[in-house]
Amino acid sequence: MLYFSSKFIWLGTWGEGLVLRDEQSGAFVKVNTDNELIKYIWDLKLLDDKTLLVAANRGLVKIDVEGLASLKTSFPEHNFPSENHFTAFTKNTKGDTWVGTWKGGLYRISSTTGELISYNKVDTKAHYVQSIHYNNDELWVGTVHSGLIRISDPNGKATIRTYSQETSDLSSDFVSALFEGIDRKLWIGTSGGGNNI
């Protein structure tokens, strides 16, 4: 997993933790190596050039990266240890950030308070969330065995619809990636079933 930030690239690894690379010099360093929570990383997201969110195998980590101008090996952090495996963030540029887990349900990170809030309006605790996308007040949740879940108006009435091989034309119930194109079509990457639109 990687995330571009100005002249830097953040790299999340599986087993080797968090790496910061300077694209101009080509140099790289391992970051916050004492933090066992970020040894196994599923996803990364940068908020407002100030906070790097790290979805990890044993919790969620918020790292203060404000003012980053050169390679550093240590940053202030706030840890949310958990038995849940945090797997995916929404990539929206404003508003709350939605977070998926493996069988731990959905969470929301408040854009105003930074608080991590469990989302209980729709029961997703039975699902392995692999990908997540939010736009136009619709939250799309890609799962490993249960297809694609759409939550319309997640902060309000929360209407849910599930798309699976059995109930729709979805080619695989393992939804590994979600991407919205400039034409507002949702691209759905699957394992074993190719792409869907």
Side-chain angles (χ1 to χ4, degrees), residues 9-197:
I9 296 180
W10 293 95
L11 301 154
T13 72
W14 191 253
E16 294 296 325
L18 184 62
V19 174
L20 180 61
R21 176 183 166 93
D22 185 325
E23 275 295 272
Q24 292 177 347
S25 70
F28 62 91
V29 293
K30 288 188 179 180
V31 174
N32 291 26
T33 54
D34 291 338
N35 188 345
E36 285 293 315
L37 287 184
I38 58 174
K39 188 171 181 181
Y40 297 93
I41 296 173
W42 286 93
D43 200 1
L44 302 168
K45 180 183 182 183
L46 192 65
L47 298 177
D48 303 326
D49 295 325
K50 297 178 183 177
T51 304
L52 182 72
L53 296 176
V54 181
N57 211 35
R58 294 173 50 203
L60 179 71
V61 180
K62 293 168 76 175
I63 299 176
D64 180 4
V65 298
E66 187 173 11
L68 177 63
S70 60
L71 289 180
K72 292 168 58 175
T73 59
S74 181
F75 294 85
E77 60 190 22
H78 187 69
N79 298 312
F80 297 91
S82 173
E83 293 180 4
N84 296 322
H85 302 301
F86 286 86
T87 56
F89 294 116
T90 55
K91 306 300 184 193
N92 47 303
T93 55
K94 61 182 180 178
D96 294 345
T97 298
W98 294 88
V99 189
T101 69
W102 277 51
K103 295 193 83 173
L106 294 173
Y107 287 81
R108 186 168 47 87
I109 300 173
S110 169
S111 60
T112 54
T113 67
E115 183 182 6
L116 181 67
I117 305 159
S118 179
Y119 183 74
N120 297 316
K121 289 190 177 183
V122 176
D123 183 13
T124 56
K125 290 190 177 177
H127 301 292
Y128 293 93
V129 175
Q130 181 73 23
S131 52
I132 190 166
H133 177 76
Y134 179 77
N135 195 15
N136 296 321
D137 210 25
E138 289 195 323
L139 183 64
W140 298 86
V141 181
T143 71
V144 170
H145 298 297
S146 303
L148 181 64
I149 301 168
R150 182 180 72 188
I151 305 170
S152 300
D153 190 19
N155 290 308
K157 217 165 104 172
T159 305
I160 185 169
R161 181 173 176 189
T162 301
Y163 302 85
S164 69
Q165 288 179 276
E166 187 177 320
T167 64
S168 70
D169 291 332
L170 192 67
S171 63
S172 170
D173 286 339
F174 190 138
V175 177
S176 55
L178 297 168
F179 175 79
E180 185 173 345
I182 57 172
D183 55 2
R184 301 202 42 202
K185 290 180 181 176
L186 186 66
W187 290 78
I188 304 160
T190 71
S191 177
N195 290 323
N196 296 243
I197 300 176

